[in-house]
Amino acid sequence: MPRRPIRVTGDPEAPLRAALTALRTELGVSGDFPAEVLAEAERAARAPVLPEYDATDIPFFTIDPPASTDLDQAMHLSRQGTGYRVRYAIADVAAFVVPGTALDAETHRRVTTLYFPDDKVPLHPAPLSEGAASLLPDQVRPAALWTIDLDAEGRTLAVDIRRALVRSRAKLDYETVEKQIDGGTAEEPVALLAEIGQLRERLEVDRGGISLSVPEQEIVEHDHTYELRYRAPHPADGWNAQISLLTGMAAADLMIAYGTGVLRTLPAAPDGAVGRLRRSAHALHIDWPHHVSYAELVRSLDPHRPHHAAFLQECTMLLRGAGYTVFRDGALPEITTHSAVAAPYTHCTAPLRRLVDRYVAEICLAVAAGQAVPDWVLAALDALPARMAEGTRRAGTVERECVDIVEAALLKDRVGEVFDGCVVDVEERRPTVGTVLVESPAVIGRIDGDHLPLGERLRVRLTQADPGAAKVRFAPA
């Protein structure tokens, strides 16, 4: 599910980049690994545990941003009778990481890759995440290979997962894929991405699910000032995401049928969160009639339009209640679904960047092979939700602090100016403190004042914008 992607370019010594470097120090997160961990990763990279099944004849391809080197997934799409066959290869981290080692302990400490606007702090050392475990082109790699057969409408007919050797033939990016498909030059395995992706999108609508096309925010430096731009996702982003969602749903169904596993769950959003989102829509001049559902509204938005892009960024707040739910021995949890997916779902397609995916893969591999789930998986299962929650909180802190720093940089030379805004939240215990969403540029900051008019537009004056302090504050004008 989406996060709020922000990208910063420019001189590493520029104030904004310096503030982001200081934030990493303040939060105690570093891309450096202990020497013992790095040594283990380098040894594992030279001698992974390889599977017997050879699927290197299948011409897989990857779709990622051009600069990405930590490639978790590769796919091959084909026709199967009147339907389709989806082959989805996922990096097999267990071929490199041995339970109980220093490397394993370090991944449990880190939990997820942390994304900063100018850099990332990886879950695994680069010799694995950007080398031997990454599904780089023209390299033989161990993978968990999903094979999912679909009918003519894109519904799942059959699912298999097994360990296999794979070899990607091409590293593609979203823009290239879209140009090939639109221009009619894409080979069938790539061209089918649009066909299958659109079928799955229609099924998502039918079951009441919703995928957010969250634009990337890019902060560009010009003559010591900053400019905010949005990069709207390509349709290919959404089609690619549908393949990942399909696999996560298949994995959830396998574990539910077996009676043991870990699901990604999300209850329906509380009324207060939806009310806050309605106030954000009002602030951004987005018409949201009360008879129109949240899902209908989101599907009507155009991420190429700046105020729609800003609202889609705000929509990610409804995903903050998601968590991980473990179940055992056939005792299913009360909630088995993810409300945004509108179906049972789990994380399994990004093991290079997220700890839980390695465990889900092991459960699914065992279930599909008719074998017992490994003891090391069962022993770690009950602690996974708390560990993932801790990692998710850390990632959320990074995101919030980065947004604050970036917005402060964007407005640092405009202190004293007056803007159009809307109060989208007021603290219950301190009604003189609230949150204001400014219309242009679309930023969010704290507002201090008596009798804050919740949900109403008002003129606000910028009183603070300091990238070093990482906060933006306003007052009624």
Side-chain angles (χ1 to χ4, degrees):
M1 305 305 290
R3 56 188 177 86
R4 291 185 61 168
I6 307 174
R7 185 159 63 94
V8 168
T9 57
D11 186 343
E13 302 303 319
L16 176 52
R17 298 285 298 275
L20 291 169
T21 299
L23 175 62
R24 286 189 281 275
T25 301
E26 178 187 336
L27 296 178
V29 297
S30 169
D32 296 332
F33 286 82
E36 181 185 8
V37 171
L38 188 57
E40 279 187 14
E42 290 171 344
R43 287 195 298 270
R46 293 192 295 268
V49 178
L50 299 178
E52 295 182 1
Y53 182 66
D54 190 331
T56 55
D57 61 318
I58 300 171
F60 287 98
F61 60 91
T62 60
I63 308 176
D64 289 277
S68 295
T69 52
D70 51 345
L71 310 183
D72 287 286
Q73 318 105 8
M75 74 176 75
H76 181 268
L77 309 174
S78 59
R79 298 191 184 277
Q80 179 82 358
T82 59
Y84 309 90
R85 171 161 287 179
V86 174
R87 292 187 180 97
Y88 207 40
I90 308 300
D92 187 4
V93 172
F96 301 90
V97 180
V98 177
T101 60
L103 175 58
D104 181 43
E106 183 69 9
T107 63
H108 280 76
R109 187 184 72 81
R110 293 186 176 228
V111 182
T112 66
T113 293
L114 297 176
Y115 292 93
F116 290 79
D118 62 335
D119 203 357
K120 67 183 176 186
V121 176
L123 173 61
H124 297 94
L128 298 181
S129 62
E130 300 183 19
S134 178
L135 304 184
L136 297 165
D138 300 317
Q139 303 295 321
V140 175
R141 295 288 188 255
L145 175 56
W146 289 87
T147 301
I148 305 175
D149 289 340
L150 307 175
D151 67 14
E153 295 180 330
R155 293 186 174 87
T156 301
L157 294 174
V159 174
D160 179 67
I161 176 176
R162 63 182 65 188
R163 284 195 155 91
L165 291 174
V166 301
R167 182 162 65 92
S168 172
R169 301 297 198 276
K171 181 180 182 293
L172 306 178
D173 59 76
Y174 299 105
E175 186 174 355
T176 297
V177 166
E178 197 144 322
K179 285 181 178 177
Q180 289 181 359
I181 292 173
D182 291 346
T185 62
E187 295 182 3
E188 183 176 81
V190 176
L192 286 176
L193 180 64
E195 195 169 322
I196 295 171
Q198 289 167 9
L199 288 172
R200 294 297 303 179
E201 286 173 340
R202 284 198 283 273
L203 291 174
E204 180 177 75
V205 172
D206 290 345
R207 67 175 185 267
I210 180 65
S211 292
L212 290 177
S213 297
V214 181
E216 180 182 70
Q217 289 178 293
E218 182 177 16
I219 308 299
V220 183
E221 184 183 7
H222 291 295
D223 298 326
H224 306 293
T225 63
Y226 296 95
E227 174 187 344
L228 174 64
R229 298 176 183 169
Y230 289 103
R231 185 193 75 83
H234 297 281
D237 291 61
W239 305 331
N240 187 51
Q242 287 297 327
I243 303 300
S244 181
L245 284 168
L246 168 68
T247 309
M249 292 164 68
D253 289 343
L254 271 181
M255 292 189 295
I256 288 173
Y258 180 70
T260 296
V262 54
L263 303 173
R264 182 66 166 164
T265 54
L266 177 66
D271 290 342
V274 176
R276 188 182 191 279
L277 201 58
R278 283 190 174 275
R279 291 191 287 273
S280 295
H282 177 68
L284 292 166
H285 299 277
I286 292 173
D287 185 29
W288 187 356
H290 280 278
H291 69 276
V292 174
S293 71
Y294 164 70
E296 288 177 283
L297 175 72
V298 168
R299 281 192 282 270
S300 72
L301 299 177
D302 179 359
H304 293 87
R305 302 175 65 183
H307 65 299
H308 285 194
F311 182 71
L312 285 165
Q313 296 279 354
E314 284 304 291
C315 287
T316 60
M317 65 180 288
L318 294 191
L319 304 177
R320 290 176 188 166
Y324 295 91
T325 302
V326 164
F327 59 101
R328 288 174 174 271
D329 305 321
L332 295 183
E334 182 178 346
I335 297 178
T336 61
T337 59
H338 189 293
S339 62
V341 181
Y345 170 72
T346 194
H347 279 156
C348 66
T349 63
L352 294 177
R353 292 170 279 174
R354 196 168 46 213
L355 175 66
V356 70
D357 299 48
R358 171 160 47 115
Y359 288 88
V360 171
E362 292 304 315
I363 297 171
C364 292
L365 284 161
V367 171
Q371 299 172 350
V373 176
D375 289 341
W376 65 268
V377 173
L378 295 175
L381 208 55
D382 290 337
L384 266 181
R387 194 169 294 279
M388 291 304 301
E390 178 186 349
T392 301
R393 280 194 296 272
R394 188 184 306 124
T397 298
V398 167
E399 181 178 291
R400 287 192 302 274
E401 295 291 334
C402 287
V403 168
D404 284 345
I405 288 174
V406 166
E407 291 183 344
L410 188 67
L411 293 170
K412 70 181 180 67
D413 296 323
R414 304 183 69 178
V415 173
E417 288 189 30
V418 175
F419 302 85
D420 291 318
C422 177
V423 178
V424 295
D425 200 19
V426 175
E427 291 188 16
E428 194 170 320
R429 295 184 178 180
R430 294 190 300 168
T432 59
V433 178
T435 303
V436 64
L437 192 154
V438 172
E439 181 181 336
S440 180
V443 300
I444 294 177
R446 172 173 162 172
I447 183 168
D448 303 285
D450 296 328
H451 310 297
L452 296 175
L454 183 61
E456 296 181 18
R457 293 195 182 98
L458 77 165
R459 300 278 283 169
V460 296
R461 187 180 308 279
L462 179 64
T463 60
Q464 177 182 328
D466 180 359
K471 298 296 175 187
V472 171
R473 299 179 72 162
F474 295 89

